[in-house]
Amino acid sequence: EAQVTQNPRYLITVTGKKLTVTCSQNMNHEYMSWYRQDPGLGLRQIYYSMNVEVTDKGDVPEGYKVSRKEKRNFPLILESPSPNQTSLYFCASSLGTGIGDTQYFGPGTRLTVL
Amino acid sequence: GDSVTQMEGPVTLSEEAFLTINCTYTATGYPSLFWYVQYPGEGLQLLLKATKADDKGSNKGFEATYRKETTSFHLEKGSVQVSDSAVYFCAQGGKLIFGQGTELSVKP
């Protein structure tokens, strides 16, 4: 089954404790992206990757890192989480960003930073 | 910069009522337009899309028409069901710029 998977689905942590949220897709997609969803703000892009070893900042990259060592994986790293990073996070992938290319989303990771 | 604006929610309707959720966009050029739906506790699913002016996207009884003149992509459904209760997001472009989402609640 074609899908985007994320782990963990739920995470409660404390300020400053490094964490990684994994994302994997099995559709051989070139493009992958991370978003955070906050009430009243919709989804905002954190980072994206056009291909292996190519990553770039989205609209809200501060406090986050990513890597793209393999085509299928795109982990999101919070080196020193803070309470304002409490949010619902989504990973997505697509063939590209051309006309009509559709992004497929993972199930989400709900992160709470105390 | 490019942006998407949706009507504010929550929207509460009775079953079988007509639904419209307004969406307008600002963009340089003519982006693809999308409606995504998020059911409670789930991720986003593509509901429908349109890639050029006057295109109509449709799925599960929902429709939206790409209107270049009014820079709009309003979502409509003729008769909503309780199972349509969800948050609906309008979005544009390949890298996806989202509106703020509109929560729909349908009562029996």
Side-chain angles (χ1 to χ4, degrees), chain A residues 9 31 35 37 40 42-43 45 48 88 90 97 99-103 105-107, chain B residues 30 32 34 36 38 41-44 46 49 51 89 94-96 98-101:
Chain A
R9 293 289 313 277
Y31 182 84
Y35 299 88
Q37 182 181 3
L43 278 79
Q45 191 179 57
Y48 64 94
L88 180 57
F90 289 101
T97 57
I99 296 291
D101 280 341
T102 299
Q103 289 196 34
F105 283 77
Chain B
Y30 303 105
S32 298
F34 304 85
Y36 280 85
Q38 184 180 30
E42 298 185 13
L44 276 75
L46 178 69
K49 69 180 182 183
T51 59
F89 290 95
K95 293 181 182 176
L96 285 183
F98 283 91
Q100 70 269 39

PDB file of all heavy atoms in Angstrom, chain A residues 9 31 35 37 40 42-43 45 48 88 90 97 99-103 105-107, chain B residues 30 32 34 36 38 41-44 46 49 51 89 94-96 98-101:
ATOM      1  N   ARG A   9       3.561   8.585  16.819  1.00  0.00           N
ATOM      2  CA  ARG A   9       2.313   9.310  16.580  1.00  0.00           C
ATOM      3  C   ARG A   9       2.049  10.331  17.687  1.00  0.00           C
ATOM      4  O   ARG A   9       1.446  11.370  17.446  1.00  0.00           O
ATOM      5  CB  ARG A   9       1.150   8.329  16.519  1.00  0.00           C
ATOM      6  CG  ARG A   9       1.191   7.395  15.335  1.00  0.00           C
ATOM      7  CD  ARG A   9       0.886   8.129  14.024  1.00  0.00           C
ATOM      8  NE  ARG A   9      -0.286   8.982  14.117  1.00  0.00           N
ATOM      9  CZ  ARG A   9      -1.540   8.555  13.982  1.00  0.00           C
ATOM     10  NH1 ARG A   9      -1.779   7.275  13.760  1.00  0.00           N
ATOM     11  NH2 ARG A   9      -2.546   9.414  14.051  1.00  0.00           N
ATOM     12  N   TYR A  31      10.032  14.583  -3.835  1.00  0.00           N
ATOM     13  CA  TYR A  31       9.785  15.736  -2.963  1.00  0.00           C
ATOM     14  C   TYR A  31       9.203  15.275  -1.631  1.00  0.00           C
ATOM     15  O   TYR A  31       8.269  14.482  -1.595  1.00  0.00           O
ATOM     16  CB  TYR A  31       8.804  16.687  -3.653  1.00  0.00           C
ATOM     17  CG  TYR A  31       8.483  17.949  -2.886  1.00  0.00           C
ATOM     18  CD1 TYR A  31       9.319  19.058  -2.964  1.00  0.00           C
ATOM     19  CD2 TYR A  31       7.346  18.048  -2.093  1.00  0.00           C
ATOM     20  CE1 TYR A  31       9.036  20.226  -2.276  1.00  0.00           C
ATOM     21  CE2 TYR A  31       7.054  19.208  -1.398  1.00  0.00           C
ATOM     22  CZ  TYR A  31       7.903  20.293  -1.496  1.00  0.00           C
ATOM     23  OH  TYR A  31       7.617  21.450  -0.808  1.00  0.00           O
ATOM     24  N   TYR A  35       5.365  19.876   7.804  1.00  0.00           N
ATOM     25  CA  TYR A  35       4.477  20.968   8.168  1.00  0.00           C
ATOM     26  C   TYR A  35       4.150  20.873   9.655  1.00  0.00           C
ATOM     27  O   TYR A  35       4.171  19.786  10.226  1.00  0.00           O
ATOM     28  CB  TYR A  35       3.147  20.876   7.407  1.00  0.00           C
ATOM     29  CG  TYR A  35       3.264  20.963   5.911  1.00  0.00           C
ATOM     30  CD1 TYR A  35       3.484  19.823   5.150  1.00  0.00           C
ATOM     31  CD2 TYR A  35       3.127  22.176   5.250  1.00  0.00           C
ATOM     32  CE1 TYR A  35       3.583  19.884   3.776  1.00  0.00           C
ATOM     33  CE2 TYR A  35       3.226  22.249   3.867  1.00  0.00           C
ATOM     34  CZ  TYR A  35       3.451  21.098   3.144  1.00  0.00           C
ATOM     35  OH  TYR A  35       3.545  21.166   1.777  1.00  0.00           O
ATOM     36  N   GLN A  37       0.894  22.094  12.206  1.00  0.00           N
ATOM     37  CA  GLN A  37      -0.483  22.569  12.193  1.00  0.00           C
ATOM     38  C   GLN A  37      -0.835  23.142  13.549  1.00  0.00           C
ATOM     39  O   GLN A  37      -0.724  22.454  14.568  1.00  0.00           O
ATOM     40  CB  GLN A  37      -1.457  21.431  11.866  1.00  0.00           C
ATOM     41  CG  GLN A  37      -2.909  21.884  11.802  1.00  0.00           C
ATOM     42  CD  GLN A  37      -3.862  20.752  11.515  1.00  0.00           C
ATOM     43  OE1 GLN A  37      -3.469  19.592  11.401  1.00  0.00           O
ATOM     44  NE2 GLN A  37      -5.133  21.071  11.382  1.00  0.00           N
ATOM     45  N   GLY A  40      -6.064  27.868  13.966  1.00  0.00           N
ATOM     46  CA  GLY A  40      -6.216  29.203  13.388  1.00  0.00           C
ATOM     47  C   GLY A  40      -5.146  29.592  12.391  1.00  0.00           C
ATOM     48  O   GLY A  40      -5.238  30.637  11.749  1.00  0.00           O
ATOM     49  N   GLY A  42      -3.680  27.108  10.157  1.00  0.00           N
ATOM     50  CA  GLY A  42      -3.574  26.132   9.090  1.00  0.00           C
ATOM     51  C   GLY A  42      -2.278  25.354   9.212  1.00  0.00           C
ATOM     52  O   GLY A  42      -1.746  25.151  10.300  1.00  0.00           O
ATOM     53  N   LEU A  43      -1.754  24.922   8.072  1.00  0.00           N
ATOM     54  CA  LEU A  43      -0.477  24.211   8.051  1.00  0.00           C
ATOM     55  C   LEU A  43       0.604  25.147   7.512  1.00  0.00           C
ATOM     56  O   LEU A  43       0.406  25.817   6.498  1.00  0.00           O
ATOM     57  CB  LEU A  43      -0.555  22.980   7.148  1.00  0.00           C
ATOM     58  CG  LEU A  43      -1.169  21.739   7.767  1.00  0.00           C
ATOM     59  CD1 LEU A  43      -2.676  21.821   7.772  1.00  0.00           C
ATOM     60  CD2 LEU A  43      -0.705  20.486   7.022  1.00  0.00           C
ATOM     61  N   GLN A  45       4.758  25.326   6.401  1.00  0.00           N
ATOM     62  CA  GLN A  45       5.865  24.470   6.005  1.00  0.00           C
ATOM     63  C   GLN A  45       7.112  24.779   6.829  1.00  0.00           C
ATOM     64  O   GLN A  45       7.508  25.934   6.979  1.00  0.00           O
ATOM     65  CB  GLN A  45       6.160  24.653   4.523  1.00  0.00           C
ATOM     66  CG  GLN A  45       7.115  23.625   3.958  1.00  0.00           C
ATOM     67  CD  GLN A  45       7.363  23.824   2.475  1.00  0.00           C
ATOM     68  OE1 GLN A  45       7.795  24.876   2.041  1.00  0.00           O
ATOM     69  NE2 GLN A  45       7.083  22.789   1.687  1.00  0.00           N
ATOM     70  N   TYR A  48      11.622  21.518   3.431  1.00  0.00           N
ATOM     71  CA  TYR A  48      11.288  20.641   2.333  1.00  0.00           C
ATOM     72  C   TYR A  48      12.560  20.128   1.669  1.00  0.00           C
ATOM     73  O   TYR A  48      13.655  20.676   1.880  1.00  0.00           O
ATOM     74  CB  TYR A  48      10.377  21.328   1.304  1.00  0.00           C
ATOM     75  CG  TYR A  48      10.984  22.506   0.583  1.00  0.00           C
ATOM     76  CD1 TYR A  48      11.609  22.345  -0.647  1.00  0.00           C
ATOM     77  CD2 TYR A  48      10.889  23.793   1.124  1.00  0.00           C
ATOM     78  CE1 TYR A  48      12.149  23.433  -1.317  1.00  0.00           C
ATOM     79  CE2 TYR A  48      11.426  24.876   0.468  1.00  0.00           C
ATOM     80  CZ  TYR A  48      12.050  24.693  -0.754  1.00  0.00           C
ATOM     81  OH  TYR A  48      12.583  25.774  -1.427  1.00  0.00           O
ATOM     82  N   LEU A  88       1.029  19.841  16.093  1.00  0.00           N
ATOM     83  CA  LEU A  88       0.752  18.633  15.329  1.00  0.00           C
ATOM     84  C   LEU A  88       1.591  18.721  14.056  1.00  0.00           C
ATOM     85  O   LEU A  88       1.486  19.688  13.306  1.00  0.00           O
ATOM     86  CB  LEU A  88      -0.733  18.548  15.003  1.00  0.00           C
ATOM     87  CG  LEU A  88      -1.226  17.352  14.205  1.00  0.00           C
ATOM     88  CD1 LEU A  88      -0.884  16.042  14.894  1.00  0.00           C
ATOM     89  CD2 LEU A  88      -2.738  17.457  13.993  1.00  0.00           C
ATOM     90  N   PHE A  90       3.069  17.130  10.400  1.00  0.00           N
ATOM     91  CA  PHE A  90       2.778  16.256   9.282  1.00  0.00           C
ATOM     92  C   PHE A  90       3.952  16.215   8.318  1.00  0.00           C
ATOM     93  O   PHE A  90       4.521  17.245   7.969  1.00  0.00           O
ATOM     94  CB  PHE A  90       1.547  16.739   8.511  1.00  0.00           C
ATOM     95  CG  PHE A  90       0.264  16.549   9.246  1.00  0.00           C
ATOM     96  CD1 PHE A  90      -0.341  17.613   9.896  1.00  0.00           C
ATOM     97  CD2 PHE A  90      -0.335  15.295   9.294  1.00  0.00           C
ATOM     98  CE1 PHE A  90      -1.535  17.429  10.580  1.00  0.00           C
ATOM     99  CE2 PHE A  90      -1.524  15.109   9.976  1.00  0.00           C
ATOM    100  CZ  PHE A  90      -2.126  16.180  10.615  1.00  0.00           C
ATOM    101  N   THR A  97       6.933  19.165  -7.648  1.00  0.00           N
ATOM    102  CA  THR A  97       6.104  20.344  -7.352  1.00  0.00           C
ATOM    103  C   THR A  97       5.559  20.948  -8.638  1.00  0.00           C
ATOM    104  O   THR A  97       5.249  22.129  -8.703  1.00  0.00           O
ATOM    105  CB  THR A  97       6.922  21.407  -6.585  1.00  0.00           C
ATOM    106  OG1 THR A  97       8.077  21.748  -7.378  1.00  0.00           O
ATOM    107  CG2 THR A  97       7.368  20.881  -5.239  1.00  0.00           C
ATOM    108  N   ILE A  99       2.833  21.200 -11.987  1.00  0.00           N
ATOM    109  CA  ILE A  99       1.390  21.380 -12.128  1.00  0.00           C
ATOM    110  C   ILE A  99       0.693  20.052 -11.874  1.00  0.00           C
ATOM    111  O   ILE A  99       0.986  19.049 -12.520  1.00  0.00           O
ATOM    112  CB  ILE A  99       1.035  21.885 -13.532  1.00  0.00           C
ATOM    113  CG1 ILE A  99       1.629  23.274 -13.776  1.00  0.00           C
ATOM    114  CG2 ILE A  99      -0.482  21.906 -13.730  1.00  0.00           C
ATOM    115  CD1 ILE A  99       0.998  24.358 -12.952  1.00  0.00           C
ATOM    116  N   GLY A 100      -0.216  20.079 -10.925  1.00  0.00           N
ATOM    117  CA  GLY A 100      -1.016  18.896 -10.646  1.00  0.00           C
ATOM    118  C   GLY A 100      -0.393  17.877  -9.722  1.00  0.00           C
ATOM    119  O   GLY A 100      -1.071  16.946  -9.278  1.00  0.00           O
ATOM    120  N   ASP A 101       0.908  18.012  -9.416  1.00  0.00           N
ATOM    121  CA  ASP A 101       1.524  17.053  -8.484  1.00  0.00           C
ATOM    122  C   ASP A 101       0.827  17.146  -7.136  1.00  0.00           C
ATOM    123  O   ASP A 101       0.636  18.238  -6.604  1.00  0.00           O
ATOM    124  CB  ASP A 101       3.016  17.327  -8.323  1.00  0.00           C
ATOM    125  CG  ASP A 101       3.829  16.775  -9.473  1.00  0.00           C
ATOM    126  OD1 ASP A 101       3.323  15.895 -10.199  1.00  0.00           O
ATOM    127  OD2 ASP A 101       4.976  17.216  -9.655  1.00  0.00           O
ATOM    128  N   THR A 102       0.480  16.006  -6.594  1.00  0.00           N
ATOM    129  CA  THR A 102      -0.305  15.944  -5.363  1.00  0.00           C
ATOM    130  C   THR A 102       0.554  15.468  -4.219  1.00  0.00           C
ATOM    131  O   THR A 102       1.270  14.472  -4.347  1.00  0.00           O
ATOM    132  CB  THR A 102      -1.484  14.979  -5.549  1.00  0.00           C
ATOM    133  OG1 THR A 102      -2.328  15.463  -6.600  1.00  0.00           O
ATOM    134  CG2 THR A 102      -2.284  14.863  -4.268  1.00  0.00           C
ATOM    135  N   GLN A 103       0.479  16.166  -3.093  1.00  0.00           N
ATOM    136  CA  GLN A 103       1.201  15.732  -1.908  1.00  0.00           C
ATOM    137  C   GLN A 103       0.348  14.760  -1.096  1.00  0.00           C
ATOM    138  O   GLN A 103      -0.843  14.979  -0.900  1.00  0.00           O
ATOM    139  CB  GLN A 103       1.595  16.943  -1.045  1.00  0.00           C
ATOM    140  CG  GLN A 103       2.694  17.780  -1.693  1.00  0.00           C
ATOM    141  CD  GLN A 103       3.361  18.738  -0.737  1.00  0.00           C
ATOM    142  OE1 GLN A 103       3.524  18.445   0.440  1.00  0.00           O
ATOM    143  NE2 GLN A 103       3.737  19.893  -1.250  1.00  0.00           N
ATOM    144  N   PHE A 105      -0.007  12.831   2.579  1.00  0.00           N
ATOM    145  CA  PHE A 105       0.353  13.155   3.944  1.00  0.00           C
ATOM    146  C   PHE A 105       0.416  11.913   4.838  1.00  0.00           C
ATOM    147  O   PHE A 105      -0.347  10.957   4.661  1.00  0.00           O
ATOM    148  CB  PHE A 105      -0.662  14.128   4.539  1.00  0.00           C
ATOM    149  CG  PHE A 105      -0.465  15.531   4.051  1.00  0.00           C
ATOM    150  CD1 PHE A 105      -0.887  15.913   2.793  1.00  0.00           C
ATOM    151  CD2 PHE A 105       0.182  16.467   4.841  1.00  0.00           C
ATOM    152  CE1 PHE A 105      -0.683  17.205   2.325  1.00  0.00           C
ATOM    153  CE2 PHE A 105       0.388  17.761   4.391  1.00  0.00           C
ATOM    154  CZ  PHE A 105      -0.043  18.130   3.132  1.00  0.00           C
ATOM    155  N   GLY A 106       1.318  11.980   5.801  1.00  0.00           N
ATOM    156  CA  GLY A 106       1.345  10.984   6.863  1.00  0.00           C
ATOM    157  C   GLY A 106       0.226  11.236   7.866  1.00  0.00           C
ATOM    158  O   GLY A 106      -0.487  12.232   7.776  1.00  0.00           O
ATOM    159  N   PRO A 107       0.108  10.361   8.873  1.00  0.00           N
ATOM    160  CA  PRO A 107      -0.996  10.450   9.831  1.00  0.00           C
ATOM    161  C   PRO A 107      -0.811  11.522  10.889  1.00  0.00           C
ATOM    162  O   PRO A 107      -1.746  11.819  11.625  1.00  0.00           O
ATOM    163  CB  PRO A 107      -1.006   9.060  10.474  1.00  0.00           C
ATOM    164  CG  PRO A 107       0.404   8.611  10.378  1.00  0.00           C
ATOM    165  CD  PRO A 107       0.925   9.152   9.089  1.00  0.00           C
TER     166      PRO A 107
ATOM    167  N   TYR B  30      -0.444  31.060 -12.212  1.00  0.00           N
ATOM    168  CA  TYR B  30      -1.681  30.285 -12.112  1.00  0.00           C
ATOM    169  C   TYR B  30      -1.377  28.930 -11.475  1.00  0.00           C
ATOM    170  O   TYR B  30      -1.097  27.951 -12.153  1.00  0.00           O
ATOM    171  CB  TYR B  30      -2.298  30.125 -13.506  1.00  0.00           C
ATOM    172  CG  TYR B  30      -2.542  31.459 -14.143  1.00  0.00           C
ATOM    173  CD1 TYR B  30      -1.718  31.934 -15.162  1.00  0.00           C
ATOM    174  CD2 TYR B  30      -3.571  32.276 -13.695  1.00  0.00           C
ATOM    175  CE1 TYR B  30      -1.927  33.181 -15.726  1.00  0.00           C
ATOM    176  CE2 TYR B  30      -3.785  33.527 -14.255  1.00  0.00           C
ATOM    177  CZ  TYR B  30      -2.961  33.969 -15.262  1.00  0.00           C
ATOM    178  OH  TYR B  30      -3.170  35.200 -15.820  1.00  0.00           O
ATOM    179  N   SER B  32      -1.762  25.385  -9.286  1.00  0.00           N
ATOM    180  CA  SER B  32      -2.754  24.347  -9.041  1.00  0.00           C
ATOM    181  C   SER B  32      -3.454  24.660  -7.719  1.00  0.00           C
ATOM    182  O   SER B  32      -2.859  25.225  -6.803  1.00  0.00           O
ATOM    183  CB  SER B  32      -2.091  22.979  -8.951  1.00  0.00           C
ATOM    184  OG  SER B  32      -1.468  22.644 -10.155  1.00  0.00           O
ATOM    185  N   PHE B  34      -6.106  23.107  -4.569  1.00  0.00           N
ATOM    186  CA  PHE B  34      -6.457  21.849  -3.913  1.00  0.00           C
ATOM    187  C   PHE B  34      -7.436  22.092  -2.767  1.00  0.00           C
ATOM    188  O   PHE B  34      -7.412  23.144  -2.129  1.00  0.00           O
ATOM    189  CB  PHE B  34      -5.206  21.189  -3.296  1.00  0.00           C
ATOM    190  CG  PHE B  34      -4.083  20.937  -4.266  1.00  0.00           C
ATOM    191  CD1 PHE B  34      -3.155  21.939  -4.550  1.00  0.00           C
ATOM    192  CD2 PHE B  34      -3.935  19.700  -4.871  1.00  0.00           C
ATOM    193  CE1 PHE B  34      -2.113  21.712  -5.434  1.00  0.00           C
ATOM    194  CE2 PHE B  34      -2.887  19.465  -5.747  1.00  0.00           C
ATOM    195  CZ  PHE B  34      -1.985  20.475  -6.034  1.00  0.00           C
ATOM    196  N   TYR B  36      -8.073  19.806   0.653  1.00  0.00           N
ATOM    197  CA  TYR B  36      -7.748  18.652   1.470  1.00  0.00           C
ATOM    198  C   TYR B  36      -8.770  18.561   2.609  1.00  0.00           C
ATOM    199  O   TYR B  36      -9.296  19.580   3.067  1.00  0.00           O
ATOM    200  CB  TYR B  36      -6.348  18.789   2.080  1.00  0.00           C
ATOM    201  CG  TYR B  36      -5.220  18.427   1.143  1.00  0.00           C
ATOM    202  CD1 TYR B  36      -4.711  19.357   0.248  1.00  0.00           C
ATOM    203  CD2 TYR B  36      -4.651  17.159   1.163  1.00  0.00           C
ATOM    204  CE1 TYR B  36      -3.669  19.036  -0.601  1.00  0.00           C
ATOM    205  CE2 TYR B  36      -3.605  16.818   0.320  1.00  0.00           C
ATOM    206  CZ  TYR B  36      -3.127  17.769  -0.563  1.00  0.00           C
ATOM    207  OH  TYR B  36      -2.084  17.441  -1.401  1.00  0.00           O
ATOM    208  N   GLN B  38      -9.469  16.776   6.531  1.00  0.00           N
ATOM    209  CA  GLN B  38      -8.868  16.121   7.701  1.00  0.00           C
ATOM    210  C   GLN B  38      -9.990  15.644   8.606  1.00  0.00           C
ATOM    211  O   GLN B  38     -10.638  16.450   9.288  1.00  0.00           O
ATOM    212  CB  GLN B  38      -7.959  17.102   8.447  1.00  0.00           C
ATOM    213  CG  GLN B  38      -7.222  16.488   9.621  1.00  0.00           C
ATOM    214  CD  GLN B  38      -6.335  17.508  10.318  1.00  0.00           C
ATOM    215  OE1 GLN B  38      -6.621  18.693  10.338  1.00  0.00           O
ATOM    216  NE2 GLN B  38      -5.247  17.037  10.897  1.00  0.00           N
ATOM    217  N   GLY B  41      -8.772  13.101  14.125  1.00  0.00           N
ATOM    218  CA  GLY B  41      -7.704  12.192  14.512  1.00  0.00           C
ATOM    219  C   GLY B  41      -6.890  11.634  13.363  1.00  0.00           C
ATOM    220  O   GLY B  41      -6.053  10.744  13.578  1.00  0.00           O
ATOM    221  N   GLU B  42      -7.096  12.150  12.155  1.00  0.00           N
ATOM    222  CA  GLU B  42      -6.390  11.605  10.995  1.00  0.00           C
ATOM    223  C   GLU B  42      -5.535  12.663  10.308  1.00  0.00           C
ATOM    224  O   GLU B  42      -5.579  13.846  10.641  1.00  0.00           O
ATOM    225  CB  GLU B  42      -7.388  11.028  10.004  1.00  0.00           C
ATOM    226  CG  GLU B  42      -8.202   9.876  10.559  1.00  0.00           C
ATOM    227  CD  GLU B  42      -9.107   9.257   9.509  1.00  0.00           C
ATOM    228  OE1 GLU B  42      -8.938   9.549   8.304  1.00  0.00           O
ATOM    229  OE2 GLU B  42      -9.986   8.469   9.895  1.00  0.00           O
ATOM    230  N   GLY B  43      -4.744  12.213   9.346  1.00  0.00           N
ATOM    231  CA  GLY B  43      -3.958  13.128   8.532  1.00  0.00           C
ATOM    232  C   GLY B  43      -4.801  13.749   7.434  1.00  0.00           C
ATOM    233  O   GLY B  43      -6.008  13.553   7.371  1.00  0.00           O
ATOM    234  N   LEU B  44      -4.155  14.508   6.553  1.00  0.00           N
ATOM    235  CA  LEU B  44      -4.868  15.167   5.471  1.00  0.00           C
ATOM    236  C   LEU B  44      -4.989  14.236   4.278  1.00  0.00           C
ATOM    237  O   LEU B  44      -4.043  13.544   3.908  1.00  0.00           O
ATOM    238  CB  LEU B  44      -4.119  16.437   5.034  1.00  0.00           C
ATOM    239  CG  LEU B  44      -4.390  17.689   5.844  1.00  0.00           C
ATOM    240  CD1 LEU B  44      -3.682  17.615   7.181  1.00  0.00           C
ATOM    241  CD2 LEU B  44      -3.934  18.919   5.080  1.00  0.00           C
ATOM    242  N   LEU B  46      -6.282  14.245   0.148  1.00  0.00           N
ATOM    243  CA  LEU B  46      -6.709  15.061  -0.985  1.00  0.00           C
ATOM    244  C   LEU B  46      -8.172  14.805  -1.269  1.00  0.00           C
ATOM    245  O   LEU B  46      -8.598  13.663  -1.430  1.00  0.00           O
ATOM    246  CB  LEU B  46      -5.880  14.733  -2.219  1.00  0.00           C
ATOM    247  CG  LEU B  46      -6.277  15.503  -3.467  1.00  0.00           C
ATOM    248  CD1 LEU B  46      -5.928  16.979  -3.314  1.00  0.00           C
ATOM    249  CD2 LEU B  46      -5.602  14.913  -4.703  1.00  0.00           C
ATOM    250  N   LYS B  49      -8.863  18.516  -6.790  1.00  0.00           N
ATOM    251  CA  LYS B  49      -7.903  19.514  -7.250  1.00  0.00           C
ATOM    252  C   LYS B  49      -8.289  20.014  -8.635  1.00  0.00           C
ATOM    253  O   LYS B  49      -9.087  19.382  -9.343  1.00  0.00           O
ATOM    254  CB  LYS B  49      -6.495  18.936  -7.275  1.00  0.00           C
ATOM    255  CG  LYS B  49      -6.271  17.876  -8.345  1.00  0.00           C
ATOM    256  CD  LYS B  49      -4.837  17.350  -8.296  1.00  0.00           C
ATOM    257  CE  LYS B  49      -4.578  16.330  -9.391  1.00  0.00           C
ATOM    258  NZ  LYS B  49      -3.200  15.764  -9.313  1.00  0.00           N
ATOM    259  N   THR B  51      -6.164  22.194 -11.986  1.00  0.00           N
ATOM    260  CA  THR B  51      -4.836  22.643 -12.394  1.00  0.00           C
ATOM    261  C   THR B  51      -4.845  23.845 -13.317  1.00  0.00           C
ATOM    262  O   THR B  51      -3.790  24.434 -13.562  1.00  0.00           O
ATOM    263  CB  THR B  51      -4.073  21.502 -13.079  1.00  0.00           C
ATOM    264  OG1 THR B  51      -4.835  21.080 -14.221  1.00  0.00           O
ATOM    265  CG2 THR B  51      -3.876  20.342 -12.129  1.00  0.00           C
ATOM    266  N   PHE B  89      -9.309  22.129   4.178  1.00  0.00           N
ATOM    267  CA  PHE B  89      -8.232  23.068   3.898  1.00  0.00           C
ATOM    268  C   PHE B  89      -8.153  23.327   2.401  1.00  0.00           C
ATOM    269  O   PHE B  89      -8.080  22.393   1.598  1.00  0.00           O
ATOM    270  CB  PHE B  89      -6.881  22.495   4.339  1.00  0.00           C
ATOM    271  CG  PHE B  89      -6.701  22.390   5.816  1.00  0.00           C
ATOM    272  CD1 PHE B  89      -6.980  21.198   6.467  1.00  0.00           C
ATOM    273  CD2 PHE B  89      -6.227  23.467   6.554  1.00  0.00           C
ATOM    274  CE1 PHE B  89      -6.802  21.087   7.835  1.00  0.00           C
ATOM    275  CE2 PHE B  89      -6.046  23.361   7.922  1.00  0.00           C
ATOM    276  CZ  PHE B  89      -6.332  22.170   8.561  1.00  0.00           C
ATOM    277  N   GLY B  94       2.609  23.947  -5.927  1.00  0.00           N
ATOM    278  CA  GLY B  94       3.301  22.679  -5.787  1.00  0.00           C
ATOM    279  C   GLY B  94       3.852  22.465  -4.387  1.00  0.00           C
ATOM    280  O   GLY B  94       3.888  21.345  -3.896  1.00  0.00           O
ATOM    281  N   LYS B  95       4.278  23.545  -3.733  1.00  0.00           N
ATOM    282  CA  LYS B  95       4.829  23.407  -2.385  1.00  0.00           C
ATOM    283  C   LYS B  95       3.751  23.590  -1.330  1.00  0.00           C
ATOM    284  O   LYS B  95       4.036  23.533  -0.153  1.00  0.00           O
ATOM    285  CB  LYS B  95       5.948  24.427  -2.175  1.00  0.00           C
ATOM    286  CG  LYS B  95       7.166  24.147  -3.047  1.00  0.00           C
ATOM    287  CD  LYS B  95       8.264  25.155  -2.805  1.00  0.00           C
ATOM    288  CE  LYS B  95       9.441  24.870  -3.727  1.00  0.00           C
ATOM    289  NZ  LYS B  95      10.501  25.884  -3.595  1.00  0.00           N
ATOM    290  N   LEU B  96       2.547  23.808  -1.737  1.00  0.00           N
ATOM    291  CA  LEU B  96       1.346  23.909  -0.898  1.00  0.00           C
ATOM    292  C   LEU B  96       1.394  25.054   0.110  1.00  0.00           C
ATOM    293  O   LEU B  96       2.059  24.993   1.155  1.00  0.00           O
ATOM    294  CB  LEU B  96       1.050  22.607  -0.166  1.00  0.00           C
ATOM    295  CG  LEU B  96       0.461  21.483  -1.017  1.00  0.00           C
ATOM    296  CD1 LEU B  96       0.156  20.281  -0.151  1.00  0.00           C
ATOM    297  CD2 LEU B  96      -0.750  21.962  -1.774  1.00  0.00           C
ATOM    298  N   PHE B  98      -1.311  26.811   2.483  1.00  0.00           N
ATOM    299  CA  PHE B  98      -2.629  26.444   2.994  1.00  0.00           C
ATOM    300  C   PHE B  98      -3.389  27.648   3.524  1.00  0.00           C
ATOM    301  O   PHE B  98      -2.795  28.594   4.063  1.00  0.00           O
ATOM    302  CB  PHE B  98      -2.486  25.451   4.153  1.00  0.00           C
ATOM    303  CG  PHE B  98      -2.172  24.056   3.735  1.00  0.00           C
ATOM    304  CD1 PHE B  98      -0.856  23.634   3.616  1.00  0.00           C
ATOM    305  CD2 PHE B  98      -3.187  23.150   3.468  1.00  0.00           C
ATOM    306  CE1 PHE B  98      -0.560  22.332   3.231  1.00  0.00           C
ATOM    307  CE2 PHE B  98      -2.900  21.849   3.090  1.00  0.00           C
ATOM    308  CZ  PHE B  98      -1.589  21.442   2.969  1.00  0.00           C
ATOM    309  N   GLY B  99      -4.709  27.566   3.433  1.00  0.00           N
ATOM    310  CA  GLY B  99      -5.567  28.426   4.221  1.00  0.00           C
ATOM    311  C   GLY B  99      -5.600  27.929   5.652  1.00  0.00           C
ATOM    312  O   GLY B  99      -4.992  26.903   5.990  1.00  0.00           O
ATOM    313  N   GLN B 100      -6.349  28.634   6.488  1.00  0.00           N
ATOM    314  CA  GLN B 100      -6.319  28.318   7.918  1.00  0.00           C
ATOM    315  C   GLN B 100      -7.212  27.151   8.287  1.00  0.00           C
ATOM    316  O   GLN B 100      -7.182  26.693   9.428  1.00  0.00           O
ATOM    317  CB  GLN B 100      -6.694  29.553   8.760  1.00  0.00           C
ATOM    318  CG  GLN B 100      -8.160  29.962   8.654  1.00  0.00           C
ATOM    319  CD  GLN B 100      -8.401  30.959   7.545  1.00  0.00           C
ATOM    320  OE1 GLN B 100      -7.817  30.880   6.461  1.00  0.00           O
ATOM    321  NE2 GLN B 100      -9.291  31.893   7.793  1.00  0.00           N
ATOM    322  N   GLY B 101      -7.986  26.643   7.343  1.00  0.00           N
ATOM    323  CA  GLY B 101      -8.866  25.510   7.623  1.00  0.00           C
ATOM    324  C   GLY B 101     -10.246  25.966   8.068  1.00  0.00           C
ATOM    325  O   GLY B 101     -10.392  26.998   8.732  1.00  0.00           O
TER     326      GLY B 101
END
